[in-house]
Amino acid sequence: VMGTIQRALYSRDVAHLPSYGYPNGVPHNVNYPLRFRLDELFAGVDSLVRDQADPFISYFHLFPPHSPYRPTHTFFNEFNDGWAPVEKPVHRFSDNSSEGKVRNARRVYDEYVASVDMELGRLLDSFEAEGIFENSYVILTSDHGEMFERGEIAHSTPLLYDPVIHIPLLISAPGQTTREDIHTPTSAIDLLPTLANIAGQPIPDWCEGALLPGLGGEEDEERSIYVVEAKSSPAFGPLNQATVAMRKGNLKLIYYTGYEAEQTFEFYDLQNDAEELKDLVPDQPSELKRMKDELLETLDRVNQPYAR
């Protein structure tokens, strides 16, 4: 299905795609000759979904709101209101971008997210009008967030603070009419077993995820959830240079290895310090040791097949 959308976009004269309604130009992909308008993109998704024969599963991985950020005229400069976020120190592993550049990128990103959100709302309105919600699971999630702080912009970074890894997960079950909020942390890897369970299919033995709470699973406040950034390590080798974040309840441990001579940790209480400003490494030795031991043991187990 995604290939159908891409072929349709490639077939257009992308160099002359009308830019009206986009003050900074139409959205595009910097790596491919791919340009698009948000309204046309979401209309294409709507059409493809309505043309499917039941039962079906469709997966749409949309490029927006990925950079370059191209808001529509509706939200262009809408957030240029003088608001400033909490100041945070520049991290030694960041790109060392200036505060002005970081703030401007954040503002334009917010405008682009709002532009995408409006079109997504129209898509969901169409799903409702067509009765798709009555017999379908509709899932909205993301692969990562963007970070505009500590001298860093976007997501290609060894930093794993919450703006990068805290992603949305919205699920509408067939016929659902009331909202249910679940605040227990979950992971993107939970979607595969959950979808298999919903479809009445066996869950593969190699699957690492758990059934999502409310969809066959139970809330587990003490579950350890991991996020890894290791683009500089080989795909089939040990994670010699990596950042590993581990969350358990409200506590979060970040481990940096292979960047410097010394391996380092950062430790945060997200309930009392959502901005991750107070590193608790010096203050909670017993809790820190418990989480460090678990993280290092898990990492050693992951690396074991590649040990020489």
Side-chain angles (χ1 to χ4, degrees), residues 166 169 181-187 190 212-213 218-223 225 247-250:
H166 190 172
L169 177 58
D181 293 330
I182 295 176
H183 299 286
T184 303
T186 58
S187 173
D190 298 338
L212 287 167
E218 301 293 333
E219 295 189 56
D220 182 1
E221 294 286 352
E222 290 304 307
R223 177 188 180 189
I225 295 178
R247 176 164 178 175
K248 182 185 283 288
N250 292 315

Side-chain angles (χ1 to χ4, degrees), residues 51-64:
D51 287 346
Q52 301 303 308
D54 292 336
F56 71 93
I57 180 171
S58 290
Y59 169 71
F60 299 96
H61 191 148
L62 303 182
F63 191 70

Side-chain angles (χ1 to χ4, degrees), residues 1-3 14 43 84 93 100 127 142 199 235 290 295 306:
V1 174
M2 191 59 196
V14 295
F93 294 151
F127 283 179
S142 177
R290 179 175 69 90
L295 184 153
Y306 308 103

Side-chain angles (χ1 to χ4, degrees), residues 141-156:
T141 190
S142 177
D143 51 347
H144 57 75
E146 301 277 72
M147 189 167 72
F148 306 96
E149 60 182 43
R150 307 175 197 261
E152 189 68 50
I153 294 176
H155 62 271
S156 296

Side-chain angles (χ1 to χ4, degrees), residues 105-163:
R106 180 191 294 110
R107 176 181 59 80
V108 181
Y109 175 69
D110 288 347
E111 294 168 1
Y112 194 27
V113 168
S115 303
V116 175
D117 186 60
M118 185 171 72
E119 296 302 332
L120 176 63
R122 289 174 176 166
L123 176 65
L124 297 182
D125 285 344
S126 178
F127 283 179
E128 185 170 27
E130 292 290 330
I132 291 174
F133 285 123
E134 297 305 311
N135 61 358
S136 306
Y137 284 89
V138 179
I139 302 172
L140 171 66
T141 190
S142 177
D143 51 347
H144 57 75
E146 301 277 72
M147 189 167 72
F148 306 96
E149 60 182 43
R150 307 175 197 261
E152 189 68 50
I153 294 176
H155 62 271
S156 296
T157 171
L159 306 181
L160 292 181
Y161 295 106
D162 261 25

Side-chain angles (χ1 to χ4, degrees), residues 56-91:
F56 71 93
I57 180 171
S58 290
Y59 169 71
F60 299 96
H61 191 148
L62 303 182
F63 191 70
H66 195 284
S67 65
Y69 313 132
R70 295 292 187 262
T72 62
H73 68 90
T74 303
F75 297 100
F76 181 69
N77 274 337
E78 187 68 18
F79 300 133
N80 193 12
D81 54 7
W83 176 84
V86 175
E87 286 194 22
K88 299 183 180 179
V90 173
H91 198 281

